[in-house]
Every structure is written in C-alpha cells, then in structure tokens.
C-alpha cells in the first residue's frame, strides 16, 4: 500500500489489508526505485511490479506538483501488471484543482461560480462582480492556503500578494451562502457507500477539522446522491469522496477527492472505511 508512515488513514488501511492477505508493506514513494530499462520497480527489496495489486492511500504528505511525478512512477508500475487502486492516470487527471474543475464543468456538474486567470486586474474585476470570494491554491487540501477576499480597498494588493506568494494561476471561487455545513458523499467501486456532513463550529468560514469543524452522519436527498454519482463517474476512481454543498439554488460540487473520506466515515457514520476498501480490493483481485 502507498501511504504515509504513521498516518491515521494509512495505518488503518494497511492493517485491514494485512488482516485479509497476511502481507504488509507500506510504500514510501520517496524511496521507490524504478528501473525503466528492466521494467521493474522496487521499494527496499520488494519488487512492486511482481505484486498482485497496490492500493494508493496517500502519495505524499502535502499536495504539490511533485506528486505528479510519483504518480507517473505508479502509472509505470501499473503498466507492468499489478492492479493499482485507484488508477494513477485517474488521479493524475484530478490532482490539480483546475484540472478537476475543468473536468467537472465539462461534464455538466454545477459548481460555485469560478474564475481562473493570471491577471491580477482581471481577478479583482471578478471579485467586484461576484462579491466575497475565496482564492484557492491549485494544489491543496483541507482549505490549506485559501484566502477570503471581498470588494473594497486593498483588494488588488491582496490578490497580487497571493499571486506573488506562489500562485501564478489565480483560482477564484465565489463564496456561497451555506447552511453551516457541507457534505462528503463517498463511493466505493462507483457505488454509493455513505454520506457525512462536515459541520462548522461557527468561528470559521470553512468546515474542516483544522478549523474546528466536526463530522456527523447525514442522509442526503436523491438529488444530491445522483449529482455526486455523476461527478465521481467522470474520474474512474475505486474509492472517492465528492464534496457537495447545499445552496438556495440547489446542490453544487466543490471537488472530487481520490484520497479523502476515511475519518469522516469513521467519526460521522461509525463506518470503518478501511475494512470496506480492503474487502473490495480483495474481491476485485480474486475475480
């Protein structure tokens, strides 16, 4: 399994896989050697290309363009025979926030009004038009690196500083009026599994645990389930969580994640996602 040593979800999935297979190997991608001329890839003494399957839980501790190179190595491994869950090519196509957004919009999935530009002036004009908005890094998770901006004095300077801090492509999304929560709609093998709500603590604009949010069980409407089903189907993932928000205009999708969902299911729904995923992997490899 590809994951993070000591990571909560990585350890749970590793334990679940070992219980079912009797084999345990946590792959740190920074220590993988791919010999392209021989068609082999190794982690320590383990020939990864000789495995029946490989499960990706985390490719790195932080989202960054560097993860794309690690995913390319995993794509090479997948080309040599092992079944990789989820397919590296699918994750590559969604790791970048803009790439994920483009696929969702092209697929007819409703999203918050979004503007992408390299121009500070154009970004400022968009905020003046949309009102309060969020600047979002192209590579981030759990609202890390996001900045709320609104029309008024100093707007252009804030956007310019954000761009100069390492965000040359400016990704802006209008802040919508939400009911104090958003949803994580989880799918396994393309089939609906469960939904949890991420509930804000009232002191922050976002609902992440880092900002004091909490998880709780939630039963979504048929409309939300169908929307999330359509969104995840665009990416061909084995395990995924679709971020959905309910608005006065109807549900919208924020993102589709190839890595999230484990803790939300555990704390919100009392479901052991690792066990479900391990069972699925074993069934798929046996079929």
């Amino acid at each position: 399994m590809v994951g993070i040593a000591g990571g909560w979800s990585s350890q749970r999935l590793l334990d679940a896989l070992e219980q079912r297979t009797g084999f345990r190997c946590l792959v740190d991608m920074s220590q993988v050697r791919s010999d392209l001329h021989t068609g082999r890839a190794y982690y320590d003494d383990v020939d990864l290309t000789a495995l029946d399957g490989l499960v990706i839980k985390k490719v790195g501790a932080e989202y960054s363009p560097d993860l794309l190179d690690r995913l390319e190595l995993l794509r090479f491994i997948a080309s040599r025979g092992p079944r990789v869950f989820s397919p590296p090519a699918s994750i590559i196509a969604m790791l970048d926030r803009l790439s994920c957004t483009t696929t969702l919009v092209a697929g007819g999935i409703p999203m918050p009004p979004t503007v992408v530009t390299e121009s500070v002036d154009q970004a400022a004009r968009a905020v003046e038009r949309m009102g309060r908005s969020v600047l979002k890094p192209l590579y981030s998770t759990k609202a890390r690196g996001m900045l709320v901006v609104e029309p008024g004095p100093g707007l252009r300077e804030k956007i310019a500083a954000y761009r100069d801090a390492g965000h040359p492509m400016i990704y802006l999304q209008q802040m919508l009026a939400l009911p104090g929560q958003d949803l994580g709609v989880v799918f396994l093998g393309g089939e609906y599994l469960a939904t949890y709500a991420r509930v804000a603590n009232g002191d922050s604009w976002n609902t992440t645990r880092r900002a004091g949010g909490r998880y709780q069980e939630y039963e979504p409407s048929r409309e939300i389930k169908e929307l999330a089903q359509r969104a995840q189907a665009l990416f061909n993932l084995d395990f995924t969580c679709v971020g959905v928000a309910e608005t006065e205009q109807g549900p919208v999708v924020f993102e589709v994640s190839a890595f999230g969902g484990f803790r939300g299911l555990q704390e919100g729904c009392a479901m052991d996602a690792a066990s479900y995923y391990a069972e699925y992997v074993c069934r798929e490899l046996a079929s």
Side-chain angles (χ1 to χ4, degrees), residues 117-177:
T117 179
E118 295 182 52
S119 166
V120 171
D121 289 335
Q122 291 298 326
R125 290 181 186 180
V127 175
E128 294 288 353
R129 184 178 69 254
M130 296 191 299
R132 200 172 190 222
S133 303
V134 185
L135 289 161
K136 297 186 175 184
L138 296 188
Y139 296 91
S140 75
T141 182
K142 296 181 174 62
R144 291 183 178 90
M146 296 185 184
L147 178 67
V148 177
V149 292
E150 53 191 329
L155 171 62
R156 191 186 183 285
E157 289 74 18
K158 288 180 181 179
I159 295 174
Y162 189 81
R163 178 202 60 188
D164 295 343
H167 309 288
M169 185 64 73
I170 304 166
Y171 181 109
L172 270 168
Q173 209 160 61
Q174 184 183 47
M175 287 194 72
L176 303 178

Side-chain angles (χ1 to χ4, degrees), residues 89-101:
S90 296
I91 301 176
I92 288 171
M94 65 182 301
L95 190 69
D96 178 320
R97 188 182 306 279
L98 179 54
S99 178
C100 183
T101 298

